[in-house]
Structures are given as C-alpha cells and as structure tokens.
Amino acid sequence: EMSEMSERSKQNVAHGLAWSYYVGYLKIVLPRVKKSMEEFCRANPNLLVCRKTWKLHILVPLNCDVYDDLEKADSNIQYVTDLTETTLARAGTKKRVYKHSLYAIRDEENQLWHCAVEYATPLQSLYAMSQDECAAFSREERLEQAKLFYRTLEEILKSSKECADAYRLIAYEEPEEAETHFLSREIVWHLRQEHHEEIAVLEGSHPCTPSTALDSAELNLQISVSDLPQPLRTDGF
C-alpha cells in the first residue's frame, strides 16, 4: 500500500535518481577530486590558490534546465581544461573514463575565478520525463521532484565519509526575467564563500552564512516524513 501511494505521488522518482547518481557516479569520482586538483595545481600553481575550492561544484537548477555546453549558458564561463582522468572497469565496460572540466568564471569586476563545475545530470532525466506523455509529469511536479532530488542528495552526501569536503551543491532558481550572467554570478558567490571559509579557518573565526543561499529549509515540499521513501539498505542486499 505504501509503495502504491509513493508511486502515485511520484516521490520515488527523485529519491531513486539521487541514490543512483550518488552510488553510480559521485561515490566513484568525488574521493578522487582533490588528488586531481593537487596534480593540476603542481603544474598551474597560480590558478587554484584557495584549497577550499578544490572540490566538484554541482549545479542543481530547480527548473531542470541543463545545458550541455556551459559556455552557451553564460558567456562569462569559459572552459580551461580537463582534470586528470580516472579510468575504471565498470559494469562490463573496459576502461570507462571519468573526468571533470575546469572553468574560468568572470565576475562583475572582470576578475577570473577557477573551479571544476558541472550539472547534476539526473535533472536531464526529470526534464525529459516532463516532456514525455508516458511519464505524465507536469511542470509543478517537476519542480517538486527537483527539490526532493536536491534534499535527498544533500542528505546522502552529508552522511558520506568518502565524499566529505569534495563537493559543493549549488541549487538555484532561475529569475523570471532572463539575466545574461545569472549563472556565473551564482557560481562566483559560492566561490567567494569558500574563500571566506578558508580565511576564517586560518584566522580561527567562524564564517557567517548570508541568508541569500538556498538551503533545505527553503526547499520545503510540504511532505510529511512518513510519506517520504525510505533510504536504501547498505548491507549489500
């Protein structure tokens, strides 16, 4: 009965996507991110000065609008290079390659900020489902699914020791009126926060978090805890 209720409300879709994204991708790549950053910094010591930015920045647009080319999403975002690849045998595929791209983000003062950034790819599936008659996803349901995906992924990653301090989730809502450089400003805001965090650690103080950042409290879906899908077992079954 609970399974049928979950399927009717489609709560299991975002929950499953978040777990699949974590188990099938993030749990594999995030533990290797810092090593890739260290290797890059040895060859390019002046680009990634702040160690707090040595992580994968994951974009979570709540409208599920994912660009395959970040440079087309915002002209202030420019591709620089790819970080060191990780090659693994995975599900029958020999030498499967995992890699991340490094970008230069230009701010309003024409300063460049460098970081590894990419979209959360499962959002493409949510968007495609909302365009497919068989899935019967409305725009409102897609927004709820995107919020639930973010909240579930955030909870999973917070409890993951392997991925600790190797990522930063950047959830955002696009403004109603199109803004040419909205995305680059959003990324730079987070990079500045990371710089402030590093300075605060060095000085022994605690960084304050402005109220402008999206967090779980702002992504409240009005869903009771008892209605949410339960976590997957981690004992191998």
Side-chain angles (χ1 to χ4, degrees), residues 98-156:
Y98 297 87
K99 65 180 180 180
H100 310 291
S101 295
L102 190 77
Y103 288 88
I105 320 294
R106 189 177 302 277
D107 66 16
E108 63 277 4
E109 297 174 356
N110 218 32
Q111 178 182 351
L112 291 179
W113 301 72
H114 294 83
C115 70
V117 59
E118 62 188 47
Y119 285 101
T121 51
L123 295 178
Q124 287 182 310
S125 298
L126 282 178
Y127 187 85
M129 290 177 70
S130 70
Q131 304 298 307
D132 194 310
E133 293 181 2
C134 295
F137 253 27
S138 68
R139 182 177 297 181
E140 291 74 20
E141 287 173 326
R142 185 181 70 197
L143 176 60
E144 289 190 358
Q145 290 295 311
K147 290 179 178 180
L148 182 55
F149 170 82
Y150 170 78
R151 289 176 55 196
T152 305
L153 183 61
E154 182 183 45
E155 291 173 4
I156 294 171

Side-chain angles (χ1 to χ4, degrees), residues 145-182:
Q145 290 295 311
K147 290 179 178 180
L148 182 55
F149 170 82
Y150 170 78
R151 289 176 55 196
T152 305
L153 183 61
E154 182 183 45
E155 291 173 4
I156 294 171
L157 288 171
K158 279 182 178 179
S159 63
S160 173
K161 294 180 180 179
E162 300 99 322
C163 301
D165 203 34
Y167 69 92
R168 189 176 184 101
L169 297 180
I170 304 178
Y172 59 91
E173 292 186 87
E174 293 275 3
E176 292 184 4
E177 295 185 6
E179 295 183 24
T180 307
H181 300 303
F182 169 80

Side-chain angles (χ1 to χ4, degrees), residues 14-27:
H15 187 263
L17 285 174
W19 270 103
S20 177
Y21 184 47
Y22 168 70
V23 174
Y25 179 65
L26 295 181
K27 193 175 181 180

Side-chain angles (χ1 to χ4, degrees), residues 180-212:
T180 307
H181 300 303
F182 169 80
L183 184 56
S184 57
R185 285 200 302 271
E186 191 73 17
I187 297 172
V188 166
W189 186 90
H190 283 269
L191 293 174
R192 282 177 174 149
Q193 286 303 110
E194 289 167 337
H195 276 255
H196 293 158
E197 289 167 10
E198 179 162 291
I199 293 172
V201 170
L202 293 174
E203 295 178 347
S205 59
H206 297 285
C208 59
T209 303
S211 58
T212 53

Side-chain angles (χ1 to χ4, degrees), residues 2 6 11 15 19 152 224-233:
M2 290 183 65
S6 180
Q11 292 170 19
H15 187 263
W19 270 103
T152 305
S224 68
V225 174
S226 61
D227 289 337
L228 286 172
Q230 298 303 305
L232 299 179
R233 291 176 63 178

